[in-house]
Amino acid sequence: MKYVLSNLNINFISAFGINSILYQRGVYPPESFTRTQKYGLSLFVTSDDELNKYLNAVISQVKEWLYSMTVKKLVVVIKDVDSNEVLERWQFDVENDKTISKENGPKEKSEKQINSEIASVIRQITASITFLPLLEGPCSFDVLVYTDKDIDVPESWGENGPCLIENSEEVRLRSFSTTIHKVDAMVAFKKT
Amino acid sequence: MSDWELSKENVQPLKSGRRVTSFSSDQSTLKKEKQEYESALRTYNGDDPLEIWHSYILWIEQAYPKGGKSGHLVELCERCISQFKDDERYQNDQRYIEVWIKYANCTNDPHEIYQFMYDQNIGTKLTLLYEAWATCAEIAGFHKKANAIYQFGVENGAQPYDLLNRRQEEFQKRIIRGTDIRDAEEDQMMDMDENRSALGQLRTVGKKHAVPSVRIGAAKQGFYGGLGIRQSANNQVAPGFQVYNDEISAPSILPAQTGEWGEMPHRKVVNKENELKAGPWTKGKRFPTKPSAVTVPASRPSFSVHDENPDDQEMRTPMKLPDVGKQVLSSRKPDKESDPLYHIRIKDSLDPNQKPMYCKAKIYCGADEFSFEEIRAARFRYKLRKAEEKKRLEEERREIEASREELRRNQEFLRLQAEEIRLQSMALKREQEAMVEKCRQQLLMHQEQFNAERQMQIQRQKEQVDIDIQRRIQQSEARSAASTVNREDESLSSLNSSKRTPADFNNSQSSSRLSAPTPDSLKRSLTAPSPTVNTQEAYKLVMGMFNASLEIDKFDDCGRETTEQGMPQIQHGPEDKSVPFTVFDENSAQKTPDTGPKAPFAIYTEEQGQPKSNMSAKMPFQIFDENSGAHASNYVKEPPVSMHDDERMDGIESQAGEDFTIAPVGSHQSFVSAARCASTPFHPENNSIQSIPDISQIPVDKTRESFYVQNNTDVKNLSPIMEGSNEESDGHATNSTASSMASHDGISKHSVKSIRASHSHIEPIPETDHIPTSAVQPKGAGFTIFTDEGLRIDNINRDDDDVGNQSEHVIDTTTYIPPDIDDKTQALMSTSIYIDPHDPFDAETIQGFLKKLTKPLSSYSNYVAEPMMKIKSQESTTLGGDLYLVMDAVGKGGNAKVYKAEKMDYDIDFTVGLELNENYYALKVQSPPCPWELYICNEIQDRLTQQLHPGEVDVRPSMMSVEKGCFCDDMSCLITKYYSSGTLLDFVNKLSAHNLQMEESIALYLSIELMYMIEKLHKCHIIHGDIKPDNFMFLGLRPDLPECSDVLRLFAQCERPLVLIDFGQSIDMTKYPSDTTFLTKTDLFGLVGTIHVLLFKQYMKVYQQSGTWRITQSFPRKWNQSLWKKLFHECLNVPSCSQLPDLASLRQEFQDYFLTIRTQYYACASKFNSLAG
């Protein structure tokens, strides 16, 4: 049970959250996405091999950290390729419910309920195009993970700054919680 | 907020993003805000009306996320556009172009709008236009055209260029990619069943830009933005096509910019061939109702038709019911059939015969219609707000005023305290003087006793001699009776003659005058009674001290008679013999007792009326005090007035009259003083010559005064007051009588002190005097003065160490060294000269002036009072809020140092800042602070500005102006512009280093400039006081003097080549009574001295021949000798202070001559300039 619920969370953050952002914000061309059904929505998942490889590498690591409950934040940063300027910053604050121990057992929450919460977040990501500025020019993205300090980081991960945006406007999205994690989503973008 | 994701279809995405808060703003606040914008549009009267429009339009965009008509965005844009269409300011304004583009995006045919903009030159300098235009063309599928548009942008130099370039590149990439996609798809023969892609961009077809129903394949548009994945796969394949980028074909795509397209394109005009004009309905054919073939005969109806009588019928107009729930002045309905630029056109074609008598423009200004009342209310509120703001500002100002007042009060308090302290110190001084006086009197008493004793001794000796004679007579009587009487007479007369005083010599001149004996005769008279050696030495010493300053007197006859014994070894000694002191008192003259033979000096004062013959030995200067009250009142300005009370010590000879001149008057001899004032070392060879020029008075006192309060009456036989040495540690005393000094310390000290007391109430005097120094002045150094009768030198050898106690002001003479001087002289010359603190530059005097200023010093904008760090080279320091990087010390004086510094200004554009010396400043650091110079500099600029007449030469740039003066308690720092090119002296030295002779035209030009400067400066009633070549900064000649025959214009138009600096010793003549005459000729002398250096690269040497002063150098033959000679003659031989040479007319002559040889100037100016640079 515990495993299943956590997996939902991981799936959201990695596969669907990141994919939705990449698709909606047009970081990759729309033709490279294929449609799947998830959470009662049709979502777009990239069919590009390179990108999938990269995402899988990231996700598997994040998964590990999520299980050990050491992740604090997961951030997707969209940067301008030419100027390397941070244009958008999608932040998912992960609140680990550390009170849960093996004895206590997780809180009760039905999968359906969790799914609907996740769906509403994805809906918000989709609707965010109404207020986000147009991304002109080619963009790239980065995934940042905020973890506890004392964690072993594999070599493929490097240290990085927080990639904050100066003079930014922040919009808080809905949050959702699983039995062990609570995720607050937020997007920040440059004010004009 | 919570539901924004559910209605995303109702939100129009904006390129720049949206504020999420605007999704949830409620209608009433929206309305209120809108109202504010609307009224702001109608009341704004600043100079950037577009700003409100622009912010309003942006706000509308944000506040009405649905877009469309609810916000009246289109009308607003349209109005904005038409209002500023012809405004030059906004032609290339980013905001204005944004509005245009927004408008274009709202219309059906944006391309037309862009073309119009291009034609009208609106926004053609901005990338924005080309970007929007090209995007519009690209979306419509006109790739060539889009490319051409980018090309236009490049050609027009649109800014920012980088952006344009990037956009063009991106566009080209998209084209390539699009073509790739198409090619790949064609290659695959469409076998792959392609899905329609969601949210992909499609090509539009046809006039209405509809998308085709088949939405795969070629219908897809190149992907906009993002990273291309397919592209990377195809990277190796070189594109088999070229992007169309041909300039030649550009005109065929876009029409040339003509600017003739006055009328906006609107659909009716553009499409007129295809549109039916709406005609009046009446023109339509009306089919007449045919009368029916069968006419039924009218039968009377069975009912009666009511036939209204028109008379009794009330005429009624159909009443229109008011719209319930709608305002009378509702928001305007948008035009239905939108002609995009209808209003713009309408505006142009307004009937000129119609003139709206109400502010129509304002009523229909924004998106809403305003009523008159609303406009009035808006205006009223605007005024109210303005008034409130004004009130607030006023309040703030008052607060500031109050705090300033507080500060002023504090300052006043401090000043009072300072005053108190000053008074205390004065009291102390007075006390000290009283003590001195007491000591002196005691001394006199001793002296009296001594004299009495001596007289007795003499008496006794006489008696003894008599006895002796008698005895001898008796003896000789025994031998020969006949010769007895003769012998007796002889020996007696010889004895008497040894005691003879100069008074005897002078008897012929005035019977009522007593003259004191010279020390020399005194000495002889004393030999007989054999007083102590010490006494003798003391007399000599005191005499030497007091007489040192006496250069001339009327009695040189007697001076010559006396032997020149002791002269060679005592530099200032000559006066001892040659100058007898006269004490003259008109009132008591008849009472003059016959002290002559006995006492060497006699002093009479009015009060006492008694001859004090015994004291006279200690009073080796004359006292002439007719009216002590009168002169006291004349000197009230000076702080040490108290000194006048001591009448016996009053060293000033004053006339009863009020007429005081403070300069030597009359003969050429007064020039001596001027010459010496301008730092004249005297020629050593003349030291031995004893004769004194025969003038009424010579104002030279060794070190201090160059101005004398003088007696300008005709009492020829009165010698002037001579001020003796002023220093307690008395350099010359040591010099002359070093060996015997110790034993007479007491005497000399007291005497000196009392002299000083009298000295201090002499009128303010410019301390110009640089009398240098040792007796061993080498030949050729400095100015040398010859007199035909020989020159009396009173050089005082001053030892620097001796005068350390008076270091008030030090002038460095090192810079004075002419290029051809050897090392030894340089060492001598570099000794600094100390200037008397009791002169007008004394801190108190200046403080007094500065305090009395109508415009206090602190109110100058360049006055900064702040604590300062000690300034050192190679360190940065903050002065007056700016950061300076101090570089090297470029000049050094006794208590002033000049540094070169760079201003570190972070605000300025560095590309500009790197220009030349823009950022270099000279910091003149002085300790103690010298606010006087700041005052003078500011005054000069002010007065010059006041006196400036258009067309005249403006010498303001020629006068040093202080950027900022920083003052704190113990130091001051004047920040002035730094001139890198050196002084005039440097220029001359460079010339001689290159062995280059001075050209006459150049010398003329610079001389004219110099004369201009001095002339204007004196017109402002300011005396510089220290004119010399190294006080002129040389900026370089102007090789580009305007070619013009009008001399005045020629000089008025060019820039000034010289800048006068160092006003630390200047005098503001307006601060003295109007009947005070000043030694303005000091400046004249400095002027010709400077010109002399310029001409001959040597310092001026002058000599006197048959009553006129001349220079030793002669002018080159080719030059206009008479002109130059005239200048030197007039400036060197100034008859009196009221008869100054007319510098203006001299200058005029110079200018006229310059005009005739100015071609020479053009020929060599740049050559000289390159040297100087």
Side-chain angles (χ1 to χ4, degrees):
Chain A
M1 182 66 181
K2 181 182 165 190
Y3 174 78
V4 172
L5 292 180
S6 298
N7 210 13
L8 280 174
N9 189 0
I10 291 153
N11 278 341
F12 159 71
I13 288 175
S14 56
F16 304 110
I18 296 175
N19 268 312
S20 292
I21 292 166
L22 296 183
Y23 175 76
Q24 295 295 346
R25 300 306 296 138
V27 180
Y28 290 91
E31 329 46 302
S32 66
F33 287 86
T34 52
R35 194 192 293 255
T36 50
Q37 288 289 325
K38 193 82 197 179
Y39 312 117
L41 297 168
S42 55
L43 297 177
F44 290 89
V45 178
T46 184
S47 55
D48 187 74
D49 292 338
E50 291 283 321
L51 184 57
N52 264 327
K53 223 159 112 192
Y54 171 75
L55 282 178
N56 283 334
V58 173
I59 288 161
S60 60
Q61 183 59 52
V62 173
K63 225 181 232 176
E64 227 173 86
W65 286 329
L66 272 175
Y67 287 144
S68 61
M69 297 204 282
T70 46
V71 177
K72 286 176 175 167
K73 279 177 193 174
L74 189 139
V75 178
V76 179
V77 170
I78 297 178
K79 285 179 178 174
D80 188 278
V81 166
D82 295 329
S83 62
N84 213 24
E85 185 187 8
V86 181
L87 299 173
E88 279 173 28
R89 190 172 187 276
W90 297 82
Q91 179 177 318
F92 302 94
D93 296 320
V94 181
E95 214 176 277
N96 297 304
D97 191 353
K98 294 208 173 176
T99 58
I100 298 167
S101 57
K102 277 160 195 164
E103 308 92 61
N104 280 353
K107 275 184 265 179
E108 290 296 319
K109 202 167 190 183
S110 74
E111 188 178 339
K112 198 183 164 195
Q113 205 182 343
I114 295 167
N115 272 353
S116 74
E117 276 183 18
I118 292 175
S120 64
V121 174
I122 292 190
R123 220 175 268 127
Q124 278 194 319
I125 292 173
T126 313
S128 64
I129 49 148
T130 52
F131 57 83
L132 290 176
L134 179 69
L135 294 176
E136 289 174 291
C139 296
S140 66
F141 82 100
D142 255 334
V143 179
L144 311 175
V145 181
Y146 287 55
T147 63
D148 288 343
K149 271 180 191 164
D150 51 353
I151 223 157
D152 290 329
V153 178
E155 281 174 25
S156 53
W157 290 72
E159 294 273 326
N160 203 338
C163 293
L164 296 175
I165 304 172
E166 274 179 48
N167 189 23
S168 67
E169 180 143 352
E170 294 183 357
V171 178
R172 206 154 263 289
L173 305 180
R174 285 168 187 274
S175 60
F176 65 95
S177 57
T178 64
T179 47
I180 47 169
H181 295 116
K182 182 168 182 287
V183 179
D184 286 312
M186 188 184 85
V187 60
F189 58 96
K190 226 179 160 163
K191 223 188 255 180
T192 46
Chain B
M1 167 75 202
S2 56
D3 295 333
W4 55 266
E5 74 266 24
L6 299 178
S7 59
K8 61 175 186 292
E9 294 82 3
N10 291 332
V11 178
Q12 201 178 36
L14 283 182
K15 201 179 170 185
S16 55
R18 279 188 182 282
R19 288 194 301 266
V20 185
T21 48
S22 66
F23 294 144
S24 56
S25 53
D26 93 284
Q27 285 297 312
S28 62
T29 53
L30 213 61
K31 215 168 186 171
K32 212 170 134 195
E33 276 182 67
K34 187 171 179 175
Q35 190 72 15
E36 265 169 35
Y37 276 110
E38 288 278 342
S39 61
L41 277 187
R42 286 166 172 84
T43 51
Y44 183 79
N45 55 6
D47 54 358
D48 189 13
L50 180 65
E51 181 53 40
I52 290 189
W53 282 95
H54 184 248
S55 57
Y56 186 26
I57 288 168
L58 288 185
W59 178 82
I60 290 264
E61 246 184 0
Q62 291 285 349
Y64 295 90
K66 287 173 194 155
K69 296 189 167 152
S70 57
H72 304 290
L73 184 64
V74 186
E75 293 104 82
L76 208 59
C77 288
E78 189 181 282
R79 264 161 229 235
C80 175
I81 287 167
S82 48
Q83 185 160 349
F84 301 114
K85 193 170 115 265
D86 299 319
D87 200 327
E88 285 286 323
R89 283 178 293 178
Y90 300 129
Q91 203 78 306
N92 278 304
D93 192 297
Q94 185 95 8
R95 299 166 302 172
Y96 187 52
I97 306 309
E98 269 174 35
V99 176
W100 269 99
I101 290 166
K102 281 188 210 307
Y103 178 66
N105 287 337
C106 294
T107 56
N108 287 335
D109 195 359
H111 192 74
E112 199 84 338
I113 306 282
Y114 292 133
Q115 210 151 314
F116 176 80
M117 285 171 74
Y118 183 67
D119 189 69
Q120 293 291 296
N121 240 330
I122 296 168
T124 44
K125 294 268 179 289
L126 291 173
T127 297
L128 205 61
L129 168 68
Y130 300 102
E131 193 189 339
W133 191 4
T135 311
C136 156
E138 189 189 346
I139 288 170
F142 306 129
H143 291 169
K144 280 184 188 175
K145 192 168 177 173
N147 199 43
I149 289 164
Y150 280 123
Q151 209 56 43
F152 273 162
V154 173
E155 280 161 23
N156 279 319
Q159 290 296 326
Y161 178 74
D162 286 350
L163 185 67
L164 183 68
N165 219 17
R166 207 164 69 222
R167 292 279 176 263
Q168 189 175 11
E169 271 172 26
E170 281 166 10
F171 160 74
Q172 286 168 353
K173 271 184 206 160
R174 275 198 300 278
I175 301 298
I176 293 165
R177 208 179 295 152
T179 328
D180 276 357
I181 293 167
R182 233 171 303 156
D183 289 350
E185 278 160 358
E186 274 159 21
D187 286 351
Q188 289 160 12
M189 298 300 287
M190 312 283 269
D191 57 341
M192 181 176 138
D193 186 20
E194 196 191 35
N195 285 328
R196 275 178 60 186
S197 59
L199 297 176
Q201 281 164 322
L202 296 168
R203 275 168 224 294
T204 56
V205 173
K207 199 174 76 183
K208 300 208 163 170
H209 311 301
V211 288
S213 55
V214 177
R215 296 184 179 184
I216 52 169
K220 272 200 230 163
Q221 199 173 11
F223 175 63
Y224 190 86
L227 292 170
I229 286 171
R230 278 161 198 253
Q231 193 199 359
S232 62
N234 291 331
N235 253 352
Q236 298 91 336
V237 184
F241 59 90
Q242 265 191 316
V243 174
Y244 197 91
N245 188 0
D246 197 346
E247 280 176 355
I248 299 165
S249 66
S252 66
I253 291 168
L254 287 174
Q257 197 176 1
T258 58
E260 290 165 355
W261 195 358
E263 200 173 307
M264 289 293 296
H266 56 92
R267 237 179 72 190
K268 272 184 187 146
V269 177
V270 176
N271 251 1
K272 62 182 161 214
E273 295 87 354
N274 300 331
E275 288 210 343
L276 268 180
K277 265 187 190 149
W281 287 2
T282 50
K283 274 192 184 168
K285 274 183 190 162
R286 239 176 110 204
F287 296 101
T289 45
K290 283 181 189 166
S292 59
V294 187
T295 27
V296 181
S299 61
R300 258 197 113 78
S302 54
F303 52 91
S304 66
V305 179
H306 174 71
D307 189 12
E308 271 179 340
N309 191 350
D311 291 337
D312 54 35
Q313 186 180 7
E314 282 180 58
M315 290 299 287
R316 279 187 188 211
T317 49
M319 195 159 57
K320 219 179 176 184
L321 285 172
D323 269 339
V324 182
K326 244 188 149 188
Q327 283 178 316
V328 181
L329 297 163
S330 61
S331 62
R332 285 158 57 81
K333 280 184 187 151
D335 296 320
K336 235 179 218 164
E337 196 52 49
S338 68
D339 159 11
L341 298 161
Y342 175 74
H343 290 289
I344 296 169
R345 192 170 51 83
I346 286 298
K347 201 182 175 189
D348 293 340
S349 61
L350 263 183
D351 186 355
N353 297 325
Q354 285 181 8
K355 189 180 170 195
M357 295 308 285
Y358 59 99
C359 38
K360 192 175 173 184
K362 280 198 173 159
I363 287 176
Y364 300 112
C365 185
D368 283 355
E369 184 179 329
F370 265 43
S371 69
F372 296 119
E373 285 76 18
E374 277 175 301
I375 292 174
R376 244 171 60 190
R379 219 180 288 146
F380 174 72
R381 273 194 221 109
Y382 177 76
K383 270 186 198 157
L384 206 68
R385 219 168 35 232
K386 271 276 148 80
E388 268 169 24
E389 205 158 301
K390 206 173 157 192
K391 221 165 109 190
R392 198 171 48 78
L393 282 175
E394 188 69 25
E395 203 115 310
E396 273 172 26
R397 211 172 54 82
R398 219 172 298 134
E399 264 169 47
I400 290 166
E401 201 64 41
S403 57
R404 199 176 289 162
E405 186 59 37
E406 180 85 7
L407 273 174
R408 207 173 295 143
R409 231 175 291 131
N410 284 352
Q411 217 173 352
E412 192 57 38
F413 177 68
L414 285 175
R415 199 179 297 151
L416 279 177
Q417 274 187 334
E419 185 69 21
E420 218 167 273
I421 289 165
R422 206 176 60 84
L423 283 174
Q424 277 176 0
S425 70
M426 263 171 66
L428 279 172
K429 215 188 261 175
R430 231 172 284 146
E431 210 172 297
Q432 188 191 4
E433 272 143 18
M435 294 276 282
V436 167
E437 180 57 22
K438 222 164 113 192
C439 291
R440 202 185 54 80
Q441 275 175 356
Q442 277 178 356
L443 193 79
L444 285 177
M445 261 161 61
H446 286 306
Q447 208 67 35
E448 216 169 322
Q449 278 176 1
F450 167 76
N451 275 348
E453 273 172 30
R454 200 188 49 186
Q455 273 179 12
M456 274 165 63
Q457 214 173 3
I458 291 171
Q459 201 60 43
R460 234 180 288 130
Q461 275 185 342
K462 240 185 182 176
E463 280 163 15
Q464 205 154 10
V465 169
D466 283 346
I467 293 164
D468 192 31
I469 288 171
Q470 275 176 1
R471 205 185 60 221
R472 276 196 219 168
I473 288 169
Q474 285 163 4
Q475 283 175 356
S476 59
E477 263 175 1
R479 275 178 262 150
S480 109
S483 62
T484 314
V485 181
N486 277 347
R487 274 241 189 121
E488 185 185 30
D489 285 351
E490 257 175 39
S491 47
L492 267 172
S493 66
S494 73
L495 187 66
N496 283 337
S497 72
S498 71
K499 294 176 199 162
R500 198 168 51 173
T501 67
D504 301 324
F505 299 120
N506 295 322
N507 282 342
S508 57
Q509 290 184 14
S510 163
S511 60
S512 62
R513 188 169 52 78
L514 264 187
S515 54
T518 63
D520 204 34
S521 55
L522 169 72
K523 193 166 146 197
R524 269 184 283 152
S525 73
L526 285 171
T527 43
S530 72
T532 61
V533 179
N534 281 352
T535 322
Q536 207 175 329
E537 287 290 338
Y539 287 150
K540 213 166 122 191
L541 166 68
V542 170
M543 288 307 294
M545 276 154 42
F546 293 139
N547 288 330
S549 63
L550 288 183
E551 279 221 275
I552 312 101
D553 70 357
K554 291 282 185 184
F555 312 111
D556 50 344
D557 289 350
C558 96
R560 272 193 213 118
E561 277 180 43
T562 57
T563 57
E564 293 189 1
Q565 169 190 9
M567 246 330 278
Q569 63 270 44
I570 301 170
Q571 297 303 328
H572 52 87
E575 290 94 352
D576 293 1
K577 280 148 261 162
S578 57
V579 184
F581 289 90
T582 344
V583 174
F584 177 65
D585 188 331
E586 278 180 340
N587 299 339
S588 56
Q590 64 272 28
K591 295 185 205 163
T592 310
D594 50 347
T595 49
K598 290 181 178 173
F601 295 96
I603 289 190
Y604 300 95
T605 60
E606 267 182 327
E607 278 80 5
Q608 288 160 344
Q610 293 296 326
K612 290 202 168 182
S613 53
N614 291 338
M615 286 169 60
S616 54
K618 303 297 175 298
M619 313 272 289
F621 49 87
Q622 76 164 12
I623 289 180
F624 178 73
D625 190 4
E626 260 189 336
N627 187 351
S628 55
H631 68 121
S633 66
N634 278 330
Y635 296 123
V636 274
K637 243 194 274 165
E638 293 301 308
V641 183
S642 57
M643 306 311 172
H644 296 276
D645 301 335
D646 185 349
E647 285 179 342
R648 274 166 307 161
M649 296 316 293
D650 192 344
I652 299 253
E653 146 185 61
S654 68
Q655 287 294 100
E658 300 291 322
D659 182 16
F660 273 69
T661 39
I662 303 218
V665 177
S667 76
H668 52 266
Q669 257 80 8
S670 61
F671 173 71
V672 172
S673 63
R676 306 168 115 226
C677 291
S679 73
T680 312
F682 291 92
H683 204 286
E685 291 183 343
N686 295 313
N687 280 358
S688 56
I689 302 170
Q690 293 307 308
S691 78
I692 303 149
D694 180 29
I695 66 165
S696 59
Q697 8 212 321
I698 288 279
V700 176
D701 123 22
K702 285 175 275 298
T703 54
R704 308 204 173 179
E705 277 88 7
S706 55
F707 280 24
Y708 263 68
V709 176
Q710 76 164 37
N711 174 2
N712 54 358
T713 58
D714 286 325
V715 191
K716 288 237 170 176
N717 43 9
L718 295 181
S719 63
I721 294 303
M722 304 305 168
E723 286 292 331
S725 68
N726 301 309
E727 277 143 330
E728 316 208 19
S729 66
D730 224 20
H732 52 88
T734 354
N735 199 17
S736 53
T737 57
S739 57
S740 59
M741 191 55 204
S743 55
H744 300 282
D745 228 329
I747 294 173
S748 63
K749 269 224 169 119
H750 292 315
S751 324
V752 166
K753 273 198 177 154
S754 47
I755 298 286
R756 282 191 60 174
S758 62
H759 163 77
S760 52
H761 50 100
I762 284 179
E763 274 284 286
I765 289 154
E767 187 39 76
T768 51
D769 158 4
H770 296 209
I771 295 190
T773 56
S774 71
V776 265
Q777 200 58 51
K779 195 173 184 176
F783 298 99
T784 314
I785 294 184
F786 299 91
T787 63
D788 49 355
E789 332 162 346
L791 179 69
R792 246 174 34 80
I793 299 297
D794 62 348
N795 272 357
I796 288 116
N797 196 353
R798 283 161 154 270
D799 207 342
D800 276 37
D801 304 332
D802 274 345
V803 280
N805 57 341
Q806 293 204 1
S807 57
E808 290 289 325
H809 198 127
V810 182
I811 293 175
D812 194 357
T813 52
T814 36
T815 46
Y816 247 117
I817 298 163
D820 55 350
I821 282 189
D822 60 28
D823 290 342
K824 192 181 158 198
T825 336
Q826 268 184 356
L828 281 168
M829 293 289 283
S830 62
T831 50
S832 295
I833 291 176
Y834 288 79
I835 289 171
D836 179 26
H838 289 283
D839 64 11
F841 306 101
D842 151 69
E844 281 177 19
T845 321
I846 285 172
Q847 207 58 45
F849 287 152
L850 293 179
K851 251 187 229 168
K852 276 182 252 162
L853 290 181
T854 48
K855 189 183 171 194
L857 203 60
S858 52
S859 72
Y860 283 111
S861 59
N862 53 1
Y863 180 91
V864 181
E866 58 168 18
M868 277 183 283
M869 301 285 288
K870 196 167 162 49
I871 290 171
K872 285 179 196 158
S873 54
Q874 310 303 339
E875 276 185 26
S876 59
T877 181
T878 312
L879 294 167
D882 294 317
L883 186 68
Y884 291 90
L885 178 64
V886 181
M887 297 156 104
D888 301 319
V890 287
K892 201 175 163 188
N895 46 9
K897 253 186 169 182
V898 181
Y899 293 97
K900 178 184 176 184
E902 191 182 0
K903 187 173 177 182
M904 311 296 279
D905 197 346
Y906 296 113
D907 298 335
I908 61 154
D909 188 355
F910 275 100
T911 53
V912 180
L914 289 174
E915 292 273 323
L916 292 168
N917 291 320
E918 293 292 310
N919 251 3
Y920 289 123
Y921 290 88
L923 310 182
K924 183 174 181 182
V925 183
Q926 268 168 292
S927 174
C930 178
W932 181 249
E933 189 166 6
L934 176 73
Y935 162 76
I936 286 282
C937 288
N938 285 341
E939 276 299 303
I940 287 171
Q941 297 292 334
D942 284 356
R943 292 182 196 177
L944 284 176
T945 312
Q946 277 168 22
Q947 292 178 0
L948 186 67
H949 297 297
E952 259 190 42
V953 174
D954 180 9
V955 293
R956 277 178 300 172
S958 285
M959 301 296 166
M960 178 179 96
S961 64
V962 180
E963 306 261 328
K964 236 175 226 171
C966 302
F967 297 92
C968 68
D969 291 339
D970 55 354
M971 66 188 279
S972 67
C973 178
L974 297 183
I975 302 166
T976 59
K977 227 173 133 185
Y978 178 76
Y979 300 103
S980 56
S981 42
T983 65
L984 198 58
L985 192 68
D986 296 338
F987 172 61
V988 172
N989 284 345
K990 273 177 202 157
L991 288 192
S992 54
H994 287 81
N995 255 336
L996 204 69
Q997 285 305 310
M998 177 53 78
E999 292 280 344
E1000 187 181 17
S1001 55
I1002 305 284
L1004 259 178
Y1005 173 66
L1006 289 174
S1007 302
I1008 293 167
E1009 281 291 342
L1010 286 169
M1011 284 192 261
Y1012 261 126
M1013 289 158 76
I1014 305 300
E1015 190 190 332
K1016 302 273 177 184
L1017 199 61
H1018 287 178
K1019 249 190 198 164
C1020 309
H1021 299 287
I1022 287 183
I1023 297 173
H1024 181 269
D1026 193 13
I1027 300 263
K1028 52 182 181 178
D1030 35 3
N1031 272 345
F1032 288 98
M1033 300 308 296
F1034 182 71
L1035 306 185
L1037 298 163
R1038 304 292 160 206
D1040 51 354
L1041 275 188
E1043 272 285 1
C1044 118
S1045 52
D1046 183 355
V1047 191
L1048 256 179
R1049 272 178 57 211
L1050 187 104
F1051 277 90
Q1053 279 175 5
C1054 67
E1055 287 176 79
R1056 306 264 75 84
L1058 299 167
V1059 176
L1060 183 57
I1061 58 164
D1062 193 353
F1063 289 90
Q1065 290 151 66
S1066 304
I1067 303 173
D1068 183 357
M1069 290 192 266
T1070 59
K1071 290 280 172 270
Y1072 300 92
S1074 55
D1075 55 355
T1076 327
T1077 321
F1078 284 87
L1079 195 59
T1080 41
K1081 52 182 161 179
T1082 317
D1083 276 0
L1084 292 182
F1085 186 81
L1087 170 67
V1088 286
T1090 307
I1091 292 176
H1092 189 279
V1093 170
L1094 198 60
L1095 298 182
F1096 305 109
K1097 301 168 197 166
Q1098 281 178 21
Y1099 282 91
M1100 183 160 64
K1101 295 173 199 163
V1102 291
Y1103 67 97
Q1104 198 186 34
Q1105 196 176 49
S1106 55
T1108 50
W1109 290 91
R1110 294 156 191 268
I1111 55 169
T1112 51
Q1113 290 279 352
S1114 56
F1115 299 98
R1117 233 177 311 153
K1118 281 189 211 160
W1119 289 25
N1120 190 343
Q1121 290 194 6
S1122 60
L1123 186 64
W1124 288 103
K1125 272 183 185 159
K1126 188 176 172 190
L1127 171 71
F1128 279 86
H1129 177 79
E1130 295 213 357
C1131 289
L1132 289 180
N1133 298 290
V1134 179
S1136 80
C1137 279
S1138 47
Q1139 289 172 268
L1140 291 171
D1142 188 0
L1143 213 51
S1145 69
L1146 268 172
R1147 190 203 69 227
Q1148 196 56 46
E1149 279 184 60
F1150 268 67
Q1151 280 182 330
D1152 290 342
Y1153 179 54
F1154 178 75
L1155 205 60
T1156 61
I1157 61 158
R1158 66 169 182 224
T1159 44
Q1160 294 174 25
Y1161 174 83
Y1162 295 124
C1164 53
S1166 51
K1167 184 176 73 182
F1168 277 81
N1169 242 0
S1170 65
L1171 275 181

